[in-house]
Amino acid sequence: RQDVLGTTLAEVWGRKKFDEMIRPPLDECFKNKKIKYEAWFETPTLGLRFFRVSYSPYLSKEKVVQSVVVETKDITQQYSAKEKLDVTRSEVDSIIENSSDYFWSIDNNYRIVYANKPFRKIFSEFFNGKITGGDNILERLNMQEAKSLKKLYDRVLKGKPEVMEHSYVIGDKEYCFEVSLNPVYGREKNISGVTCFARDVTLRKN
């Protein structure tokens, strides 16, 4: 601490780092603007670390910026955990998207929140129409199918999971699916939608 008292920031951090990373937010802060950002910094003892940095103007009695308070917090551990979680989510999304099974979810207004590639493809083949996020799934079905599916979704939206087998006939071929529907609970433990999973078990039935 005594070693840095009375020295300039350029002397502590080096002229290049000062000019490129420290001076720009410092100049803005002296214009009475509060600056916050997160970035990687090379430290002398710990190596590369991720910091949350804030610059706060300190005003005189005349409301003039006379100095700047700089706070730094090492958040490398939290950032690394978040980064790993993001990678995990990305891997899970990739697995679901490229699965041979069918995944989709709706909100409590029957609107599509998510539909993986196999579901979008088979929906197009069975019902002669594309389906995308935001579409009301019931409005994309014929009246009989929509009425039947609405009753099913409504039971799940009341908190009752459903597992069943469901058959479709396309042309002269019958397809059989094992279907699982589960309620989605929000932070307040209210049900905000339904997650759906289906697997083609036609060969197993034949």
Side-chain angles (χ1 to χ4, degrees):
R1 181 178 177 180
Q2 294 298 324
D3 292 341
V4 298
L5 290 176
T7 59
T8 66
L9 287 171
E11 289 172 334
V12 174
W13 289 97
R15 173 57 62 181
K16 187 174 186 294
K17 187 174 290 185
F18 173 76
D19 287 341
E20 292 180 357
M21 301 188 68
I22 299 173
R23 187 169 191 164
L26 200 58
D27 288 344
E28 288 298 305
C29 197
F30 272 110
K31 295 175 184 177
N32 201 19
K33 296 179 181 178
K34 190 167 185 178
I35 309 296
K36 288 185 177 181
Y37 68 92
E38 295 175 353
W40 289 99
F41 287 88
E42 184 69 41
T43 65
T45 56
L46 298 174
L48 198 61
R49 307 293 292 177
F50 196 71
F51 284 90
R52 178 177 292 131
V53 185
S54 69
Y55 292 73
S56 303
Y58 185 81
L59 304 181
S60 66
K61 292 181 181 179
E62 293 76 26
K63 304 298 182 183
V64 176
V65 180
Q66 66 178 22
S67 59
V68 171
V69 177
V70 181
E71 294 180 88
T72 61
K73 183 178 181 181
D74 186 343
I75 57 169
T76 308
Q77 189 172 351
Q78 298 95 307
Y79 181 81
S80 298
K82 178 182 178 298
E83 204 171 40
K84 288 178 182 177
L85 181 60
D86 289 342
V87 169
T88 301
R89 285 175 176 168
S90 177
E91 290 173 346
V92 170
D93 288 344
S94 178
I95 290 169
I96 291 175
E97 184 66 15
N98 296 291
S99 169
S100 59
D101 296 321
Y102 310 95
F103 295 87
W104 71 103
S105 62
I106 62 166
D107 63 18
N108 50 19
N109 291 310
Y110 316 108
R111 292 175 301 207
I112 290 288
V113 175
Y114 174 79
N116 74 340
K117 190 188 300 181
F119 179 80
R120 296 194 303 271
K121 183 176 183 294
I122 202 167
F123 188 94
S124 176
E125 293 173 354
F126 282 11
F127 301 107
N128 299 313
K130 293 182 179 179
I131 192 160
T132 58
D135 288 346
N136 185 313
I137 191 169
L138 300 181
E139 293 176 357
R140 310 297 299 231
L141 305 172
N142 61 55
M143 188 177 296
Q144 181 179 352
E145 187 69 29
K147 186 177 180 180
S148 173
L149 200 55
K150 184 179 184 301
K151 288 181 180 179
L152 187 62
Y153 283 145
D154 285 347
R155 287 200 297 270
V156 181
L157 286 168
K158 289 178 181 177
K160 182 183 177 184
E162 293 281 346
V163 177
M164 77 211 76
E165 289 187 355
H166 197 73
S167 297
Y168 288 97
V169 176
I170 303 295
D172 59 352
K173 185 174 180 180
E174 182 179 14
Y175 295 85
C176 185
F177 296 91
E178 192 174 76
V179 184
S180 174
L181 308 177
N182 290 280
V184 177
Y185 290 91
R187 291 183 179 178
E188 304 299 324
K189 296 187 178 180
N190 58 313
I191 297 174
S192 59
V194 179
T195 58
C196 315
F197 166 82
R199 172 169 290 166
D200 188 341
V201 294
T202 306
L203 293 177
R204 194 172 74 191
K205 291 295 179 180
N206 293 335

